[in-house]
Amino acid sequence: MSTVTASRTRSPAPARPRARLDWRLRFGALSLVWGFSFLLIKVATGGYAPFQVTLGRLVFGTAVLGAAMALKRERLPRGARLWGHMAVAAFFLNALPFSLFAYSELTIPSTLAGICNATSPLWGMALSLVALSEDRPTRVRVAGLGLGFLGVLTVLGAWQGFHGLDATGTAMALLASLSYPVGWIYVRRTLAGTGRSHLSMTGAQLLLATLQLAVVTPVFAGFPTHVHLVPLLAIGALGALGTGLAVLIQYGLVAEVGPTTAQMVTYFIPVIATAAGVAILGESLRWTTPVGAVIVLAGAALTQLRRRGEA
Protein backbone atom coordinates (compact mmCIF):
# COMPACT_ATOMS: atom_id res chain seq x y z
CA MET A 1 0.00 0.00 0.00
CA SER A 2 1.58 3.24 -1.14
CA THR A 3 1.62 6.38 0.94
CA VAL A 4 0.72 9.83 -0.32
CA THR A 5 3.19 12.66 0.36
CA ALA A 6 1.86 16.11 1.12
CA SER A 7 2.10 18.58 -1.72
CA ARG A 8 2.87 22.25 -1.37
CA THR A 9 -0.61 23.13 -2.53
CA ARG A 10 -3.25 22.61 0.03
CA SER A 11 -5.33 20.13 -1.87
CA PRO A 12 -7.62 17.95 0.24
CA ALA A 13 -5.92 14.76 1.36
CA PRO A 14 -7.51 11.56 0.07
CA ALA A 15 -9.45 9.57 2.61
CA ARG A 16 -7.41 6.87 4.20
CA PRO A 17 -8.73 3.33 3.80
CA ARG A 18 -10.16 1.96 6.98
CA ALA A 19 -7.84 -0.41 8.81
CA ARG A 20 -9.20 -3.94 8.70
CA LEU A 21 -8.80 -6.47 11.43
CA ASP A 22 -6.24 -9.11 10.48
CA TRP A 23 -7.95 -11.93 8.62
CA ARG A 24 -6.58 -14.53 11.07
CA LEU A 25 -8.41 -12.82 13.92
CA ARG A 26 -11.59 -12.70 11.88
CA PHE A 27 -11.11 -16.36 10.96
CA GLY A 28 -10.79 -17.21 14.66
CA ALA A 29 -13.86 -15.12 15.51
CA LEU A 30 -15.89 -16.91 12.84
CA SER A 31 -14.78 -20.30 14.15
CA LEU A 32 -15.82 -19.34 17.68
CA VAL A 33 -19.17 -17.90 16.63
CA TRP A 34 -20.16 -20.91 14.55
CA GLY A 35 -18.68 -23.37 17.06
CA PHE A 36 -20.72 -21.86 19.90
CA SER A 37 -23.87 -21.86 17.77
CA PHE A 38 -24.64 -25.45 18.73
CA LEU A 39 -24.43 -24.59 22.43
CA LEU A 40 -26.76 -21.64 21.82
CA ILE A 41 -29.25 -23.88 20.02
CA LYS A 42 -29.28 -26.27 22.96
CA VAL A 43 -29.89 -23.42 25.41
CA ALA A 44 -32.56 -21.83 23.20
CA THR A 45 -34.53 -25.07 22.76
CA GLY A 46 -34.66 -25.33 26.54
CA GLY A 47 -37.22 -22.52 26.55
CA TYR A 48 -38.73 -22.40 23.08
CA ALA A 49 -39.93 -24.81 20.39
CA PRO A 50 -37.44 -25.56 17.61
CA PHE A 51 -39.42 -23.67 14.95
CA GLN A 52 -39.65 -20.68 17.29
CA VAL A 53 -35.89 -20.80 17.82
CA THR A 54 -35.27 -20.93 14.07
CA LEU A 55 -37.68 -18.09 13.33
CA GLY A 56 -36.10 -15.90 16.01
CA ARG A 57 -32.63 -16.73 14.71
CA LEU A 58 -33.60 -15.70 11.19
CA VAL A 59 -35.29 -12.50 12.36
CA PHE A 60 -32.17 -11.35 14.20
CA GLY A 61 -29.87 -12.47 11.38
CA THR A 62 -31.96 -10.69 8.74
CA ALA A 63 -31.94 -7.53 10.86
CA VAL A 64 -28.12 -7.52 10.92
CA LEU A 65 -27.91 -8.02 7.14
CA GLY A 66 -30.54 -5.33 6.63
CA ALA A 67 -28.53 -2.89 8.74
CA ALA A 68 -25.37 -3.70 6.77
CA MET A 69 -27.21 -3.13 3.48
CA ALA A 70 -28.53 0.21 4.74
CA LEU A 71 -25.03 1.34 5.73
CA LYS A 72 -23.67 0.42 2.31
CA ARG A 73 -26.77 1.76 0.58
CA GLU A 74 -27.45 -1.50 -1.20
CA ARG A 75 -30.90 -2.55 -2.37
CA LEU A 76 -32.54 -5.94 -2.62
CA PRO A 77 -32.18 -7.58 -6.03
CA ARG A 78 -35.07 -7.48 -8.48
CA GLY A 79 -36.66 -10.05 -10.76
CA ALA A 80 -39.34 -12.67 -10.07
CA ARG A 81 -37.24 -15.49 -11.50
CA LEU A 82 -34.26 -14.50 -9.36
CA TRP A 83 -36.40 -14.39 -6.22
CA GLY A 84 -37.82 -17.80 -7.06
CA HIS A 85 -34.32 -19.31 -7.17
CA MET A 86 -33.37 -17.51 -3.97
CA ALA A 87 -36.45 -18.93 -2.24
CA VAL A 88 -35.21 -22.45 -2.99
CA ALA A 89 -31.71 -21.53 -1.80
CA ALA A 90 -33.17 -20.03 1.39
CA PHE A 91 -34.99 -23.26 2.12
CA PHE A 92 -31.98 -25.55 1.71
CA LEU A 93 -29.32 -23.21 3.15
CA ASN A 94 -31.25 -21.66 6.04
CA ALA A 95 -34.83 -22.68 6.83
CA LEU A 96 -34.39 -26.46 6.58
CA PRO A 97 -30.95 -27.00 8.18
CA PHE A 98 -31.55 -24.47 10.97
CA SER A 99 -34.84 -26.19 11.84
CA LEU A 100 -33.37 -29.68 11.66
CA PHE A 101 -30.47 -28.79 13.95
CA ALA A 102 -32.88 -27.20 16.44
CA TYR A 103 -35.07 -30.32 16.47
CA SER A 104 -32.08 -32.65 16.65
CA GLU A 105 -30.73 -30.98 19.78
CA LEU A 106 -33.91 -31.83 21.66
CA THR A 107 -32.57 -35.38 21.89
CA ILE A 108 -28.84 -35.34 21.08
CA PRO A 109 -25.99 -33.36 22.70
CA SER A 110 -24.69 -30.21 21.08
CA THR A 111 -21.30 -31.91 20.68
CA LEU A 112 -22.76 -34.55 18.38
CA ALA A 113 -24.68 -31.93 16.39
CA GLY A 114 -21.47 -29.96 15.86
CA ILE A 115 -19.65 -33.05 14.61
CA CYS A 116 -22.53 -33.95 12.27
CA ASN A 117 -22.21 -30.46 10.81
CA ALA A 118 -18.61 -31.30 9.83
CA THR A 119 -19.91 -33.96 7.42
CA SER A 120 -21.14 -31.27 4.98
CA PRO A 121 -17.96 -31.42 2.85
CA LEU A 122 -18.41 -35.19 2.60
CA TRP A 123 -21.99 -34.88 1.42
CA GLY A 124 -20.89 -32.13 -0.94
CA MET A 125 -18.20 -34.33 -2.44
CA ALA A 126 -20.63 -37.22 -2.93
CA LEU A 127 -23.29 -35.01 -4.51
CA SER A 128 -20.89 -33.08 -6.74
CA LEU A 129 -19.73 -36.29 -8.39
CA VAL A 130 -23.30 -36.76 -9.59
CA ALA A 131 -24.64 -33.23 -9.99
CA LEU A 132 -21.59 -31.28 -11.15
CA SER A 133 -19.82 -32.79 -14.12
CA GLU A 134 -16.83 -30.45 -13.76
CA ASP A 135 -15.90 -32.04 -10.42
CA ARG A 136 -13.89 -35.07 -11.48
CA PRO A 137 -13.20 -37.71 -8.83
CA THR A 138 -9.64 -38.52 -7.90
CA ARG A 139 -8.39 -41.45 -5.87
CA VAL A 140 -7.45 -39.17 -2.99
CA ARG A 141 -10.84 -37.48 -2.88
CA VAL A 142 -12.76 -40.75 -3.11
CA ALA A 143 -10.54 -42.15 -0.35
CA GLY A 144 -11.31 -39.05 1.71
CA LEU A 145 -15.03 -39.66 1.18
CA GLY A 146 -14.75 -43.22 2.44
CA LEU A 147 -12.54 -42.18 5.35
CA GLY A 148 -14.96 -39.45 6.36
CA PHE A 149 -17.97 -41.73 6.53
CA LEU A 150 -15.88 -44.25 8.45
CA GLY A 151 -15.35 -41.44 10.94
CA VAL A 152 -19.11 -40.89 11.14
CA LEU A 153 -19.61 -44.56 11.98
CA THR A 154 -16.90 -44.23 14.65
CA VAL A 155 -18.61 -41.21 16.21
CA LEU A 156 -21.90 -43.10 16.30
CA GLY A 157 -20.29 -46.27 17.68
CA ALA A 158 -21.73 -48.42 14.88
CA TRP A 159 -20.08 -51.65 16.13
CA GLN A 160 -21.93 -51.19 19.43
CA GLY A 161 -25.28 -50.92 17.72
CA PHE A 162 -25.41 -47.10 18.13
CA HIS A 163 -25.94 -47.66 21.83
CA GLY A 164 -27.07 -44.59 23.78
CA LEU A 165 -27.75 -42.41 20.72
CA ASP A 166 -31.12 -41.14 19.59
CA ALA A 167 -31.46 -42.30 16.00
CA THR A 168 -34.04 -39.68 15.01
CA GLY A 169 -32.09 -36.74 16.40
CA THR A 170 -28.85 -37.94 14.84
CA ALA A 171 -30.53 -38.47 11.47
CA MET A 172 -31.93 -34.94 11.62
CA ALA A 173 -28.47 -33.48 12.30
CA LEU A 174 -26.98 -35.45 9.39
CA LEU A 175 -29.82 -34.37 7.09
CA ALA A 176 -29.17 -30.77 8.13
CA SER A 177 -25.52 -31.11 7.10
CA LEU A 178 -26.65 -32.69 3.80
CA SER A 179 -28.98 -29.76 3.12
CA TYR A 180 -26.10 -27.27 2.87
CA PRO A 181 -24.32 -28.82 -0.15
CA VAL A 182 -27.70 -29.42 -1.83
CA GLY A 183 -28.34 -25.71 -1.49
CA TRP A 184 -24.88 -24.68 -2.69
CA ILE A 185 -25.12 -26.94 -5.75
CA TYR A 186 -28.47 -25.37 -6.57
CA VAL A 187 -26.97 -21.89 -6.15
CA ARG A 188 -24.08 -22.75 -8.46
CA ARG A 189 -26.49 -23.98 -11.12
CA THR A 190 -28.98 -21.13 -10.95
CA LEU A 191 -27.51 -18.02 -9.33
CA ALA A 192 -23.82 -18.06 -10.26
CA GLY A 193 -22.73 -15.16 -12.42
CA THR A 194 -25.73 -12.94 -11.75
CA GLY A 195 -23.44 -9.99 -11.03
CA ARG A 196 -25.40 -9.02 -7.94
CA SER A 197 -23.79 -8.10 -4.64
CA HIS A 198 -23.22 -10.98 -2.24
CA LEU A 199 -24.59 -8.80 0.56
CA SER A 200 -27.87 -8.01 -1.19
CA MET A 201 -28.32 -11.61 -2.34
CA THR A 202 -27.70 -12.98 1.14
CA GLY A 203 -29.96 -10.37 2.70
CA ALA A 204 -32.75 -11.39 0.34
CA GLN A 205 -32.08 -15.06 1.03
CA LEU A 206 -32.36 -14.62 4.80
CA LEU A 207 -35.50 -12.51 4.35
CA LEU A 208 -37.11 -15.29 2.32
CA ALA A 209 -36.10 -17.92 4.89
CA THR A 210 -37.63 -15.73 7.61
CA LEU A 211 -40.90 -15.54 5.67
CA GLN A 212 -40.89 -19.32 5.20
CA LEU A 213 -40.52 -19.88 8.95
CA ALA A 214 -43.08 -17.16 9.68
CA VAL A 215 -45.64 -19.24 7.76
CA VAL A 216 -44.68 -22.60 9.28
CA THR A 217 -44.09 -21.67 12.92
CA PRO A 218 -47.62 -20.56 13.92
CA VAL A 219 -49.06 -23.74 12.40
CA PHE A 220 -46.72 -26.27 14.02
CA ALA A 221 -45.42 -24.46 17.12
CA GLY A 222 -47.80 -21.61 17.83
CA PHE A 223 -46.63 -18.55 19.71
CA PRO A 224 -44.64 -18.53 22.98
CA THR A 225 -46.81 -18.20 26.07
CA HIS A 226 -43.98 -17.20 28.41
CA VAL A 227 -40.76 -15.24 28.06
CA HIS A 228 -37.68 -17.25 29.03
CA LEU A 229 -34.86 -14.75 29.36
CA VAL A 230 -31.75 -16.92 28.97
CA PRO A 231 -33.11 -18.92 25.99
CA LEU A 232 -34.26 -15.64 24.42
CA LEU A 233 -30.78 -14.16 24.79
CA ALA A 234 -29.39 -17.34 23.22
CA ILE A 235 -31.71 -16.87 20.23
CA GLY A 236 -30.61 -13.25 19.89
CA ALA A 237 -26.92 -14.22 19.95
CA LEU A 238 -27.54 -17.13 17.59
CA GLY A 239 -29.20 -14.86 15.06
CA ALA A 240 -27.24 -11.63 15.37
CA LEU A 241 -23.82 -13.27 15.75
CA GLY A 242 -24.09 -16.84 14.47
CA THR A 243 -26.13 -15.91 11.40
CA GLY A 244 -25.92 -12.20 10.59
CA LEU A 245 -22.42 -11.19 11.68
CA ALA A 246 -20.96 -14.57 10.73
CA VAL A 247 -22.14 -14.19 7.13
CA LEU A 248 -20.55 -10.75 6.90
CA ILE A 249 -17.24 -12.08 8.26
CA GLN A 250 -17.36 -15.08 5.94
CA TYR A 251 -17.81 -13.03 2.78
CA GLY A 252 -15.05 -10.69 3.88
CA LEU A 253 -12.71 -13.64 4.31
CA VAL A 254 -13.63 -15.14 0.95
CA ALA A 255 -12.93 -11.81 -0.74
CA GLU A 256 -9.58 -11.39 1.02
CA VAL A 257 -8.03 -14.86 1.26
CA GLY A 258 -10.17 -16.89 -1.14
CA PRO A 259 -12.78 -19.61 -0.63
CA THR A 260 -10.29 -22.42 -0.04
CA THR A 261 -8.76 -20.79 3.02
CA ALA A 262 -12.09 -19.41 4.24
CA GLN A 263 -13.78 -22.81 4.19
CA MET A 264 -11.10 -24.21 6.50
CA VAL A 265 -13.26 -22.81 9.31
CA THR A 266 -15.36 -25.97 8.88
CA TYR A 267 -12.62 -28.00 10.54
CA PHE A 268 -12.53 -25.87 13.68
CA ILE A 269 -16.29 -25.77 14.31
CA PRO A 270 -16.68 -29.31 15.74
CA VAL A 271 -13.64 -28.83 17.98
CA ILE A 272 -15.12 -25.67 19.48
CA ALA A 273 -18.64 -27.13 19.64
CA THR A 274 -17.34 -30.16 21.52
CA ALA A 275 -15.25 -28.10 23.94
CA ALA A 276 -18.19 -25.76 24.64
CA GLY A 277 -20.65 -28.59 25.13
CA VAL A 278 -18.43 -30.44 27.57
CA ALA A 279 -17.06 -27.45 29.50
CA ILE A 280 -20.21 -25.30 29.72
CA LEU A 281 -23.15 -27.67 29.37
CA GLY A 282 -21.49 -30.62 31.10
CA GLU A 283 -22.20 -33.01 28.23
CA SER A 284 -20.55 -36.40 28.45
CA LEU A 285 -17.89 -37.39 25.96
CA ARG A 286 -17.12 -40.94 24.90
CA TRP A 287 -13.75 -41.75 23.37
CA THR A 288 -15.46 -42.54 20.04
CA THR A 289 -16.59 -38.91 19.68
CA PRO A 290 -13.21 -37.13 19.44
CA VAL A 291 -11.56 -40.04 17.61
CA GLY A 292 -14.37 -40.21 15.07
CA ALA A 293 -14.38 -36.43 14.70
CA VAL A 294 -10.68 -36.42 13.80
CA ILE A 295 -11.33 -39.11 11.16
CA VAL A 296 -14.28 -37.14 9.77
CA LEU A 297 -12.21 -33.96 9.50
CA ALA A 298 -9.31 -35.80 7.86
CA GLY A 299 -11.66 -37.30 5.30
CA ALA A 300 -13.34 -33.95 4.68
CA ALA A 301 -9.95 -32.31 4.16
CA LEU A 302 -9.00 -34.94 1.56
CA THR A 303 -12.25 -34.40 -0.36
CA GLN A 304 -11.38 -30.72 -0.74
CA LEU A 305 -8.00 -31.38 -2.40
CA ARG A 306 -7.88 -30.25 -6.01
CA ARG A 307 -5.69 -31.23 -8.90
CA ARG A 308 -2.98 -28.74 -9.73
CA GLY A 309 -4.57 -26.03 -11.82
CA GLU A 310 -8.09 -26.49 -10.42
CA ALA A 311 -9.75 -23.52 -8.75
Side-chain angles (χ1 to χ4, degrees), residues 243-287:
T243 304
L245 180 63
V247 167
L248 296 177
I249 296 175
Q250 181 191 31
Y251 280 125
L253 286 173
V254 170
E256 183 171 346
V257 300
T260 301
T261 300
Q263 74 181 1
M264 291 293 289
V265 71
T266 303
Y267 308 125
F268 292 87
I269 293 173
V271 177
I272 295 170
T274 299
V278 173
I280 299 175
L281 298 179
E283 294 177 346
S284 60
L285 189 67
R286 300 182 301 174
W287 70 267

Side-chain angles (χ1 to χ4, degrees), residues 152-177:
V152 173
L153 294 177
T154 303
V155 170
L156 301 181
W159 64 89
Q160 299 173 340
F162 307 104
H163 178 69
L165 292 178
D166 181 77
T168 301
T170 305
M172 285 184 175
L174 290 172
L175 284 174
S177 68

Side-chain angles (χ1 to χ4, degrees), residues 49-240:
F51 275 138
Q52 294 170 349
V53 171
T54 304
L55 176 58
R57 173 183 188 174
L58 287 167
V59 167
F60 281 106
T62 303
V64 171
L65 267 293
M69 290 176 61
L71 287 173
K72 294 191 175 184
R73 298 181 179 180
E74 292 196 17
R75 296 181 178 180
L76 291 172
R78 296 180 179 180
R81 184 181 180 84
L82 181 66
W83 278 81
H85 288 313
M86 286 192 299
V88 177
F91 176 76
F92 283 109
L93 292 174
N94 303 113
L96 180 61
F98 290 179
S99 299
L100 286 173
F101 273 126
Y103 268 102
S104 73
E105 291 201 39
L106 291 176
T107 55
I108 67 172
S110 64
T111 55
L112 179 56
I115 292 171
C116 287
N117 179 75
T119 64
S120 282
L122 303 178
W123 295 119
M125 168 66 182
L127 290 173
S128 67
L129 296 179
V130 177
L132 297 173
S133 58
E134 66 268 21
D135 282 348
R136 300 297 182 183
T138 64
R139 291 181 180 178
V140 172
R141 295 168 72 183
V142 171
L145 185 64
L147 181 64
F149 284 112
L150 176 63
V152 173
L153 294 177
T154 303
V155 170
L156 301 181
W159 64 89
Q160 299 173 340
F162 307 104
H163 178 69
L165 292 178
D166 181 77
T168 301
T170 305
M172 285 184 175
L174 290 172
L175 284 174
S177 68
L178 170 62
S179 181
Y180 290 121
V182 170
W184 283 119
I185 288 175
Y186 182 84
V187 166
R188 287 178 63 179
R189 284 184 170 276
T190 60
L191 295 173
T194 60
R196 266 90 173 182
S197 159
H198 284 307
L199 178 58
S200 64
M201 293 284 285
T202 306
Q205 179 182 306
L206 284 182
L207 176 61
L208 287 167
T210 303
L211 295 176
Q212 291 168 1
L213 263 294
V215 172
V216 171
T217 301
V219 176
F220 292 97
F223 297 96
T225 56
H226 297 88
V227 175
H228 304 278
L229 181 58
V230 174
L232 182 60
L233 292 174
I235 292 174
L238 183 63

Side-chain angles (χ1 to χ4, degrees), residues 6-14:
S7 63
R8 293 183 179 178
T9 60
R10 294 184 178 181
S11 57

